[in-house]
Amino acid sequence: MSESIFRKDGTAQGVAKQRLIESLAEPEERIINDPYADRFVLGASFIKFMGHKLNVWLGQKVVPGFHEHLISRTRFIDDLVKASAAGGVEQYVILGAGYDSRAHRLELPSSLRIFEVDQPEVQSRKRSKLPKELTNSENITYVAVDFTHQSLTEQLMGSGFDQSKSTVFTLEGVSQYITKEAFRSTIKEVATLTQKASSIFFISYVSELLDNDPEACFGKGYPNAEKRAKLITYGSAKAGEPWISFYSAEEIESVLSQNGYSVKENVTLKDLNSRYFAPVGRGLAENQLLPLEHFVISESQK
Ligand SMILES: C[S@@+](CC[C@H](N)C(=O)[O-])C[C@H]1O[C@@H](n2cnc3c(N)ncnc32)[C@H](O)[C@@H]1O
């Protein structure tokens, strides 16, 4: 497939690009390290030539805090997955995995069964770019699903998902791209799939304030909030994947609790700034904190 007509992975590439930029930082200053990100990003050589500081500086000019927001999301989930695996969770399902390489770059027990779920076109490009020995890892299964018209349950069960095992699910940077109907039915399917065992469910969502009150969404002092909100939504539409669904905390809590999940944490970059960036001397100022997406950990007990 020609890369120029491949239109389903624009945003997956966009996130991989931020992971590449972060990986260029000095080891003692970076929040995450993704040695595979460059394989998925068009123009990776130029980004590497520019280096971490210049790329981050440029990003700050366009949308302050956007790079840090994506990187803190990745790190937050890395921490969750590592802690879950260390605590004995047996399966990990990455919903909308895109070019995320968590399955390879984290030190996870080889007994952890990993299912990578995404659209078939994105998965086949990913597999063609990763080193062969990685994509053939015995504990990783690629499951092709389009959430809008395919059954996650059918595809996962057909791929060896074990309903008696404890599982962590992550839906990272996906809810804004799918309809609310597809989002709700995905959560319902996850709840049904995990009826017999305990599960942890991470979800990220974009605040509805982005759509109806950008100034309130971005917070006090954030420069040109309205212009930046338009730039973010325009950018994803231009990449071929418009943001179509926005949520309030109440709506998320309600859909999760209807499906047996209780929210344990709901954080944004504002909360993660002091956890991740301040300790390595990269703490963001108040007017650079971009709380556009929320990161939610929920759990169901069996
Ligand atoms: C912004 S990317 C995030 C990728 C990855 N989670 C990460 O953070 O790097 C959004 C992902 O959602 C996937 N996606 C979007 N709509 C989808 C759908 N209807 N069914 C399955 N996956 C979908 C895209 O293919 C893409 O990989």
Side-chain angles (χ1 to χ4, degrees), residues 147-212:
F147 300 128
T148 51
H149 64 263
Q150 281 184 306
S151 157
L152 175 66
T153 310
E154 233 169 70
Q155 302 297 100
L156 266 182
M157 292 302 289
S159 303
F161 180 84
D162 187 339
Q163 288 184 286
S164 68
K165 289 190 169 162
S166 52
T167 308
V168 56
F169 288 80
T170 59
L171 186 72
E172 175 187 14
V174 180
S175 67
Q176 57 268 52
Y177 300 102
I178 59 177
T179 61
K180 289 200 171 186
E181 197 188 346
F183 177 67
R184 283 173 184 275
S185 73
T186 302
I187 294 177
K188 200 168 174 192
E189 286 200 74
V190 167
T192 311
L193 270 165
T194 56
Q195 265 170 352
K196 297 182 193 141
S198 66
S199 60
I200 298 166
F201 199 170
F202 168 91
I203 286 169
S204 65
Y205 70 91
V206 176
S207 164
E208 62 180 4
L209 288 174
L210 178 77
D211 209 23
N212 51 34

Side-chain angles (χ1 to χ4, degrees), residues 184-259:
R184 283 173 184 275
S185 73
T186 302
I187 294 177
K188 200 168 174 192
E189 286 200 74
V190 167
T192 311
L193 270 165
T194 56
Q195 265 170 352
K196 297 182 193 141
S198 66
S199 60
I200 298 166
F201 199 170
F202 168 91
I203 286 169
S204 65
Y205 70 91
V206 176
S207 164
E208 62 180 4
L209 288 174
L210 178 77
D211 209 23
N212 51 34
D213 190 351
E215 286 191 13
C217 177
F218 290 0
K220 221 167 147 221
Y222 191 92
N224 296 316
E226 199 154 324
K227 193 177 113 196
R228 255 78 191 220
K230 285 206 177 100
L231 201 62
I232 293 169
T233 47
Y234 174 80
S236 43
K238 191 90 181 116
E241 296 156 82
W243 286 9
I244 55 170
S245 301
F246 307 93
Y247 298 90
S248 66
E250 294 72 30
E251 201 175 350
I252 292 291
E253 215 159 293
S254 150
V255 65
L256 284 169
S257 78
Q258 281 162 21
N259 287 288

